[in-house]
């Protein structure tokens, strides 16, 4: 039951994009069309879960026993960067179709703060292995959900009449604000 | 253009033409997340200014040494080292602020502004002017974050830097402190800046 709560709360209530504000550069950058948003969402789910497993293991079995917590930032970013590279190489070799579908977004993920953010949140909350897995999956699915919903909105925005000064990023941010307001409605469900 | 003029122009660019996160739409995550009060905005801005100035300086001094193929990885290691320094110093001397900013301090590593300036400016220019660019972007970011934080704190909790401004009868718009308020404040500020630029006839309106 606790795991179920954790999943619901990290997908909807503490949505990583709309309530924790992580990963906004791709959020505004690739959300202009649903197709590209889908590719990005898939890549993010994939990398977030993998990097959560690796960073959690490193932190629990290497950094903490030796009292090296201050190296956390440096280690995590290196793990994520090399992981993204590795995934890119493997996909290129094994599954050309998926590689082409994810394309440039895979490389961009290194600097996506959602991936690093999930890794850091996990160590801050001191989760166990199963909880960590649930948290990583639920958070990245929440990210994908918000990204896709938002891409749908932005496709509509392109054909609406918007004051000149508000066009582009400005109206996108206000739209995201209204969406975030809707997600606040989930607060009653789980803390 | 002489060298001093060039540095002067670079210093000025970060304050309006390239001011992040409005003109240079990078580094949005911390600008949304921690600007619940003016103090947090100022702290975050200063931390980023420190990192971006030093990383620009270091990367630009090493720009002829770092091989092109591994440059992004090398930049990230340099930036991560600087961020770790900031993190440790903040924990030692500004503990309450570092608790407030939470994971957003280590997340400066993946803040696109730092890497963006490293790749876009420091890798092509000599150290002095790169540091000038870092200072100017850093100060611009600090100003924007303090402004966003001030607006949200003033209207959302009726205080500024923790001091009460409005009297008892003021009913705070609590929604500005919550997540949606951040998006809407920044969106409207961006719109106002575009409006002002159009009124002055400036040419760099983003699409």
């Amino acid at each position: 039951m606790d795991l179920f709560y954790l999943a619901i709360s990290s997908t909807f209530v503490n949505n990583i994009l709309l309530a924790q504000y992580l990963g906004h550069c791709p959020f505004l950058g690739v959300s202009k069309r649903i197709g590209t948003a889908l590719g990005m969402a898939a890549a993010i789910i994939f990398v977030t879960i993998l990097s959560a497993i690796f960073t959690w293991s490193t932190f629990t079995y290497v950094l903490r026993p030796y009292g090296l917590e201050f190296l956390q930032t440096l280690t995590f970013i290196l793990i994520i960067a090399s992981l993204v590279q590795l995934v890119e190489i493997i996909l290129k070799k094994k599954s050309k179709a998926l590689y082409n579908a994810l394309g440039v977004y895979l490389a961009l993920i290194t600097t996506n703060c959602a991936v690093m953010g999930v890794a850091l949140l996990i160590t801050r909350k001191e989760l166990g292995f199963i909880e960590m897995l649930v948290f990583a999956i639920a958070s990245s699915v929440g990210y994908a959900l918000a990204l896709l919903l938002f891409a749908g909105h932005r496709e509509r925005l392109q054909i609406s009449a918007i004051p000149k000064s508000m066009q582009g990023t400005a109206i996108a941010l206000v739209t995201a604000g209204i969406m975030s307001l809707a997600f606040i409605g989930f607060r009653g469900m789980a803390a | 253009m002489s060298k001093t003029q060039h540095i002067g122009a670079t210093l000025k660019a970060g304050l309006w033409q390239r001011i992040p996160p409005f003109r240079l739409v990078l580094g949005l995550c911390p600008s949304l997340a921690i600007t619940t009060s003016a103090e947090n905005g100022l702290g975050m801005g200063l931390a980023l200014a420190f990192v971006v100035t030093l990383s620009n300086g270091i990367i630009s001094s090493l720009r002829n040494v770092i091989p092109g193929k591994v440059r992004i990885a090398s930049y990230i290691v340099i930036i991560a080292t600087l961020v770790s320094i900031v993190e440790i110093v903040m924990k030692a001397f500004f503990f309450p602020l570092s608790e407030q900013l939470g994971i957003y301090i280590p997340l400066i590593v993946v803040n696109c502004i730092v890497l963006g300036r490293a790749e876009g400016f420091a890798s092509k220019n000599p150290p002095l002017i790169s540091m000038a660019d870092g200072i100017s972007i850093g100060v611009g970011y600090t100003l924007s974050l303090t402004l966003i934080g001030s607006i949200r704190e003033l209207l959302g909790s009726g205080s500024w830097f923790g001091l009460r401004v409005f009297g008892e009868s003021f009913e705070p718009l609590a929604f500005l402190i919550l997540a949606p308020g951040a998006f809407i404040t920044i969106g409207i500020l961006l719109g106002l800046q575009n409006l002002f630029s159009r009124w002055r006839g400036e040419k760099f309106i983003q699409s």
Side-chain angles (χ1 to χ4, degrees):
Chain A
M1 207 53 202
D2 280 349
L3 287 179
F4 179 70
Y5 264 129
L6 184 67
I8 294 290
S9 105
S10 36
T11 314
F12 295 108
V13 186
N14 293 318
N15 186 289
I16 195 121
L17 201 72
L18 296 171
Q20 312 257 25
Y21 322 95
L22 294 169
H24 276 280
C25 304
F27 182 53
L28 293 170
V30 304
S31 60
K32 285 187 184 127
R33 286 210 337 268
I34 291 188
T36 47
L38 200 63
M40 188 71 188
I44 294 227
I45 295 182
F46 194 56
V47 175
T48 307
I49 296 172
L50 268 185
S51 74
I53 296 173
F54 276 89
T55 51
W56 182 85
S57 318
T58 319
F59 190 77
T60 323
Y61 297 117
V62 182
L63 294 186
R64 191 178 288 152
Y66 295 103
L68 294 171
E69 281 98 339
F70 65 92
L71 283 178
Q72 190 192 16
T73 314
L74 198 59
T75 341
F76 280 18
I77 190 70
L78 282 178
I79 291 178
I80 292 170
S82 38
L83 201 67
V84 170
Q85 283 277 297
L86 193 73
V87 168
E88 209 177 337
I89 294 168
I90 293 177
L91 278 187
K92 208 172 180 178
K93 199 89 183 159
K94 296 279 175 202
S95 159
K96 202 77 183 165
L98 190 59
Y99 177 77
N100 287 337
L102 297 183
V104 65
Y105 304 114
L106 208 52
L108 279 177
I109 289 183
T110 316
T111 51
N112 186 328
C113 33
V115 179
M116 176 99 169
V118 168
L120 288 169
L121 281 172
I122 287 170
T123 53
R124 281 209 170 215
K125 292 179 183 220
E126 299 181 340
L127 301 177
F129 184 77
I130 302 287
E131 291 164 308
M132 174 276 286
L133 212 55
V134 172
F135 181 78
I137 294 172
S139 302
S140 49
V141 168
Y143 186 98
L145 179 75
L147 187 65
L148 287 178
L149 288 175
F150 188 63
H153 282 301
R154 276 194 95 173
E155 281 196 344
R156 299 293 293 267
L157 282 179
Q158 275 168 4
I159 48 167
S160 348
I162 299 160
K164 262 215 170 101
S165 305
M166 288 300 279
Q167 274 169 8
T169 320
I171 193 75
L173 280 167
V174 175
T175 316
I178 295 167
M179 261 180 76
S180 160
L181 203 58
F183 268 72
I184 279 192
F186 287 116
R187 272 200 186 173
M189 275 164 55
Chain B
M1 197 156 42
S2 81
K3 207 174 166 203
T4 35
Q5 270 179 330
H6 196 45
I7 290 184
T10 313
L11 274 176
K12 240 167 53 189
L15 301 183
W16 179 258
Q17 282 173 345
R18 277 207 286 258
I19 187 166
F22 298 116
R23 280 280 171 251
L24 202 66
V25 191
L26 295 174
L28 267 177
C29 315
S31 7
L32 290 160
I34 51 86
T35 51
T36 46
S37 71
E39 193 191 344
N40 285 358
L42 188 65
M44 183 72 204
L46 289 179
L48 186 112
F50 172 81
V51 173
V52 79
T53 309
L54 283 186
S55 83
N56 262 6
I58 295 175
I59 286 166
S60 134
S61 334
L62 294 175
R63 72 187 188 285
N64 297 324
V65 184
I66 298 174
K69 272 193 179 159
V70 292
R71 65 174 196 288
I72 300 287
S74 324
Y75 296 167
I76 287 183
V77 174
I78 294 171
I79 296 168
T81 315
L82 290 168
V83 171
S84 301
I85 297 174
V86 172
E87 208 183 337
I88 295 166
V89 169
M90 278 192 110
K91 266 203 186 120
F93 297 106
F94 307 98
F95 189 68
L97 186 63
S98 102
E99 285 294 291
Q100 285 264 312
L101 299 181
I103 64 164
Y104 295 97
I105 291 287
L107 280 178
I108 296 177
V109 178
V110 282
N111 192 316
C112 336
I113 293 181
V114 187
L115 202 62
R117 290 330 283 169
E119 171 74 8
F121 200 95
S123 61
K124 297 182 198 113
N125 291 288
L128 199 61
I129 195 155
S130 300
M131 285 184 83
D133 177 67
I135 293 174
S136 121
I137 293 285
V139 171
Y141 196 59
T142 311
L143 287 179
S144 325
L145 287 200
T146 316
L147 174 71
I148 301 165
S150 306
I151 293 176
R152 287 180 69 191
E153 195 184 349
L154 268 175
L155 299 177
S157 48
S159 55
W160 195 55
F161 281 102
L163 298 167
R164 289 208 62 83
V165 176
F166 298 118
E168 288 296 311
S169 58
F170 177 70
E171 187 72 45
L173 290 152
F175 123 97
L176 276 177
I177 294 289
L178 296 173
F183 291 105
I184 292 176
T185 314
I186 296 186
I188 289 174
L189 280 177
L190 189 63
L192 286 178
Q193 202 199 8
N194 284 341
L195 191 68
F196 185 70
S197 288
R198 272 154 42 85
W199 172 69
R200 289 218 327 192
E202 287 172 35
K203 280 267 161 63
F204 44 84
I205 290 168
Q206 47 194 308
S207 55

